[in-house]
Amino acid sequence: MSEIETINCLIIGSGPAGYTAAIYAARADMKPVLYQGMQPGGQLTTTNEVENFPGYPDGISGPEMMVQLEAQAKRFEADIRFGFITKVDFSGPVHKCWTEDGKEIHAKTIIISTGASAKYLGLPSEQKYLEMGGGVSACAVCDGFFYRGQETVIVGAGDSACEEAHYLSKLCTKVTMLVRKEEFRASKIMADRVKNTPNIEILFNTDTVEVLGDGNGVTGALVKNSVSGEEKTIPCTGFFVAIGHKPNTDIFKGFIDLDETGYIKYAEPGTSLTNVPGVFVAGDAADKRYRQAITAAGTGCMAALDAERYLAAQGH
Ligand code: NDP
């Protein structure tokens, strides 16, 4: 059996929340160890250009920003590891975690920053333009600006889709909303706001058949009415998907209190505390409302400060 490693602070996940927690924890001499997870850098690595993170007046690409955050954490000797945590046991006084290759880690404090993953339709054409940064996005607040003065399509019928459609309507000449059923799932007030916005056209009972493009970027969407069977092409340069997110919290089930959709519940609002003493949460794993790099970074800072105070109170 491999040796158990005992550490002060384990950070699980490497988006802006995890790296910010690592910077703060390392500067407080907590000697944090950060496991990067399945997608080092997190959701921002699928974002082309980040223009709304303060301090980058000319913008920065998502992957480049993550490289810089990692370098900043390493500068203070945070131990950044490629790999992921597959199992935890928070039932006893010691917080136990296991990596994918079976290594056992005991951590006095844990910061969960595993994030959430945007759901996509899964069409090959959608994935192609997503991967090349060519016009597919799951975040209107992040990417809507690039389509100002242009036509966009957004898929979804929940509160997020309505909020994002409305956001896009202020930037774009026209927004076409594709709703797969004959009604919205969103709250009435959000749905009404969309219905009352003149440059938003809502197509009910409508599925996406294909995201169309010219090889460099999106040029339209081929859609089909599921009742009449009629197909048509909607011209657009931006194809937005707002069909929900899945928080990456499965391994914590049974130990950490989750809400009905899997988001981690704060034990005390306004802090990073979870129901387990010594275990803290930062970023999108607990945030279905804001989901921004800057808010994730802010809560990463909070989690590191809370972990530091917890360690101090334990006499470390
Ligand atoms: P939801 O899970 O509420 O909605 C997802 C939507 O996507 C549904 O309308 C669903 O359609 C649609 N959908 C799912 N899969 C597909 C698919 N393959 N093709 C087409 N459509 C699809 O997610 P949200 O992100 O909208 O909201 C998550 C939570 O956050 C909710 O509780 C919401 O209320 C909350 N929220 C609140 C806000 C606010 O109050 N300001 C803002 C944003 C979110 P269908 O209805 O047919 O199942």
Side-chain angles (χ1 to χ4, degrees):
M1 210 181 77
S2 63
E3 211 178 301
I4 295 170
E5 183 181 15
T6 300
I7 59 175
N8 281 327
C9 179
L10 174 67
I11 300 169
I12 311 176
S14 61
Y19 283 134
T20 304
I23 292 164
Y24 273 77
R27 294 186 80 251
D29 209 20
M30 290 159 68
K31 310 214 169 352
V33 173
L34 180 150
Y35 273 83
Q36 289 182 312
M38 303 277 258
Q39 189 186 7
Q43 288 182 81
L44 271 191
T45 55
T46 59
T47 301
N48 228 6
E49 194 73 11
V50 181
E51 291 191 325
N52 54 7
F53 200 97
Y56 295 100
D58 301 321
I60 182 168
S61 80
E64 175 61 16
M65 185 190 208
M66 288 303 114
V67 168
Q68 292 200 4
L69 283 178
E70 181 177 343
Q72 194 173 352
K74 281 182 171 164
R75 184 180 148 210
F76 302 110
E77 290 171 13
D79 184 348
I80 311 290
R81 298 182 188 173
F82 183 70
F84 46 101
I85 303 296
T86 50
K87 192 176 124 186
V88 302
D89 182 353
F90 300 155
S91 58
V94 178
H95 306 124
K96 301 177 182 172
C97 298
W98 288 265
T99 63
E100 83 281 10
D101 51 11
K103 181 182 172 61
E104 184 170 344
I105 299 173
H106 291 185
K108 292 179 188 137
T109 61
I110 293 188
I111 295 173
I112 299 173
S113 48
T114 47
S117 305
K119 294 182 191 163
Y120 289 93
L121 300 175
L123 298 168
S125 52
E126 169 206 56
Q127 292 302 306
K128 176 180 157 189
Y129 287 105
L130 173 68
E131 277 157 27
M132 67 192 284
V136 172
S137 168
C139 180
V141 177
C142 317
D143 298 326
F145 188 72
F146 302 115
Y147 304 97
R148 60 197 186 284
Q150 301 169 42
E151 295 187 14
T152 52
V153 162
I154 182 163
V155 184
D159 283 334
S160 296
C162 289
E163 198 168 69
E164 301 207 354
H166 192 255
Y167 183 88
L168 290 173
S169 73
K170 289 186 265 172
L171 300 167
C172 303
T173 48
K174 184 178 176 192
V175 179
T176 306
M177 205 171 174
L178 308 180
V179 175
R180 68 175 171 183
K181 293 189 186 143
E182 60 185 6
E183 59 189 8
F184 280 102
R185 182 190 294 199
S187 53
K188 188 175 178 308
I189 186 163
M190 302 284 274
D192 284 348
R193 194 162 66 158
V194 165
K195 287 177 191 164
N196 294 331
T197 304
N199 64 338
I200 300 180
E201 183 182 6
I202 304 158
L203 302 181
F204 290 99
N205 296 313
T206 301
D207 296 315
T208 309
V209 180
E210 210 66 75
V211 177
L212 306 172
D214 58 9
N216 293 316
V218 169
T219 56
L222 177 64
V223 304
K224 182 176 183 174
N225 185 299
S226 55
V227 177
S228 67
E230 185 204 342
E231 287 193 353
K232 67 174 173 179
T233 296
I234 302 167
C236 65
T237 46
F239 183 85
F240 288 84
V241 185
I243 62 172
H245 287 75
K246 184 182 181 319
N248 302 316
T249 56
D250 287 353
I251 60 167
F252 306 111
K253 254 180 218 159
F255 299 108
I256 297 289
D257 287 347
L258 308 176
D259 74 8
E260 65 287 351
T261 46
Y263 286 91
I264 293 175
K265 287 195 203 167
Y266 289 112
E268 272 179 47
T271 73
S272 68
L273 276 60
T274 71
N275 60 303
V276 178
V279 179
F280 307 90
V281 62
D284 287 11
D287 175 17
K288 62 180 164 195
R289 191 182 175 96
Y290 301 106
R291 298 190 193 115
Q292 299 300 300
I294 187 69
T295 50
T299 53
C301 158
M302 288 162 67
L305 295 178
D306 285 337
E308 186 192 352
R309 282 176 199 150
Y310 175 87
L311 281 177
Q314 305 281 309
H316 298 292

